[in-house]
């Protein structure tokens, strides 16, 4: 007698269906685990700056200016782009701006973004600035508001 004719067709369909569902369940489980690991890899934050929280100073004739920022990127060997909350601080004044280009060789800083200068009795808001001669001269650019107390 033929072996295929003796197989119960209902049991074969049930067994085959169960086997297919088991394989699908395994593939779905593996896929979801891989999906979670891919999500974890994508959530890793990458920093797009060369320098994180740069700090340095300029020594002038009479005072020293300390410079801090949130991020920095090298534009060349001498020039650094300082970004986000850039502060120039000395014992006499404080100057805050964003996106300042600092030349390490010539000790010159320049910005075309809104800048806020404050000292004991004076505050200046301008469209930008240039710091030259080791921090001894600050030139304000563009529309400037001067407040003397």
């Amino acid at each position: 007698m033929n072996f295929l004719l003796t197989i119960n067709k209902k049991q074969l369909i049930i067994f085959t269906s169960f086997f297919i569902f088991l394989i699908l369940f395994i593939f779905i489980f593996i896929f979801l685990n891989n999906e979670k690991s891919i999500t974890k890899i994508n959530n890793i934050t990458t920093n797009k700056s060369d320098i994180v929280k740069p700090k340095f100073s300029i020594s002038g004739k009479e005072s020293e200016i300390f410079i801090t920022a949130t991020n920095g990127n090298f534009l060349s060997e001498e020039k650094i782009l300082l970004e986000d909350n850039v502060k120039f601080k000395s014992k006499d004044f404080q100057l805050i701006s964003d996106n300042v280009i600092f030349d390490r060789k010539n000790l010159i800083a320049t910005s075309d973004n809104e800048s806020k200068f404050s000292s004991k009795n004076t505050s200046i808001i301008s469209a930008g600035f240039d710091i030259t001669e080791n921090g001894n001269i600050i030139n304000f650019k563009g529309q400037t508001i001067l407040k003397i107390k």
Side-chain angles (χ1 to χ4, degrees):
M1 192 169 184
N2 193 345
F3 175 71
L4 292 176
L5 293 176
T6 61
I7 296 177
N8 186 348
K9 291 182 176 48
K10 285 184 182 181
Q11 289 179 347
L12 181 64
I13 291 174
I14 292 173
F15 178 74
T16 308
S17 300
F18 176 74
F19 188 70
I20 291 173
F21 282 122
L22 181 65
I23 291 175
L24 284 174
F25 179 74
I26 291 171
F27 280 127
I28 289 172
F29 182 74
I30 292 171
F31 177 76
L32 290 177
N33 280 340
N34 286 340
E35 182 90 9
K36 288 177 185 176
S37 65
I38 291 171
T39 304
K40 289 178 185 176
I41 292 171
N42 288 339
N43 287 338
I44 297 173
T45 57
T46 56
N47 198 345
K48 296 180 182 177
S49 58
D50 296 330
I51 310 168
V52 178
K53 296 187 180 181
K55 294 180 182 181
F56 47 94
S57 64
I58 301 173
S59 297
K61 292 179 184 175
E62 298 177 11
S63 66
E64 192 169 24
I65 301 172
F66 297 97
I67 304 165
T68 60
T70 304
N71 295 308
N73 287 303
F74 288 102
L75 301 176
S76 67
E77 286 186 30
E78 290 87 22
K79 293 186 179 183
I80 301 172
L81 173 63
L82 302 171
E83 300 175 304
D84 303 327
N85 199 23
V86 181
K87 291 183 183 179
F88 292 79
K89 193 172 188 178
S90 77
K91 63 181 180 178
D92 299 324
F93 71 89
Q94 180 172 330
L95 179 61
I96 301 172
S97 185
D98 286 328
N99 300 330
V100 177
I101 297 176
F102 181 73
D103 187 339
R104 298 185 309 163
K105 183 178 180 182
N106 300 317
L107 299 178
I108 296 171
T110 183
S111 175
D112 292 328
N113 290 31
E114 182 178 298
S115 307
K116 296 176 184 176
F117 174 90
S118 60
S119 67
K120 188 174 182 179
N121 294 321
T122 308
S123 66
I124 300 172
I125 299 173
S126 69
F129 67 88
D130 291 321
I131 297 178
T132 58
E133 295 187 24
N134 293 345
N136 293 323
I137 297 176
I138 301 174
N139 294 318
F140 294 98
K141 299 178 185 178
Q143 185 177 0
T144 303
I145 300 170
L146 172 65
K147 293 180 183 177
I148 300 175
K149 298 176 185 177

